[in-house]
Amino acid sequence: HSIEVYGNKKSIEGSIAFFICSLILTIIFFPFVGYQILVIPFILTMTEFGLVHGFDNLILPIIAGFLARLLF
């Protein structure tokens, strides 16, 4: 199931897989219980869904680091 975003196709399954992987990594690196565990993967998934042309490889680590520093 694909959705076209800014001329690029994004799959719903790929976004779900990205969210699950981000959630697992967030739990591994930040083993705290709280809303932060879901906020970081959600924001990263929405950002990844909206980015095009390979910019996600540059932007997502920067956003992940910023969110980790801000929320933890």
Side-chain angles (χ1 to χ4, degrees):
H1 301 96
S2 317
I3 296 176
E4 193 166 324
V5 179
Y6 304 117
N8 286 337
K9 289 187 178 182
K10 299 282 187 168
S11 71
I12 295 171
E13 293 85 357
S15 293
I16 292 170
F18 181 83
F19 178 82
I20 291 170
C21 290
S22 297
L23 179 62
I24 290 169
L25 289 172
T26 303
I27 291 169
I28 289 171
F29 286 107
F30 303 102
F32 304 106
V33 177
Y35 71 95
Q36 298 96 330
I37 297 297
L38 293 174
V39 168
I40 291 176
F42 178 76
I43 291 174
L44 290 176
T45 301
M46 292 298 107
T47 303
E48 189 271 338
F49 195 76
L51 291 174
V52 294
H53 304 299
F55 287 115
D56 55 346
N57 296 329
L58 174 66
I59 301 297
L60 289 177
I62 294 169
I63 292 175
F66 175 75
L67 287 172
R69 181 135 173 116
L70 180 69
L71 296 174
F72 291 105

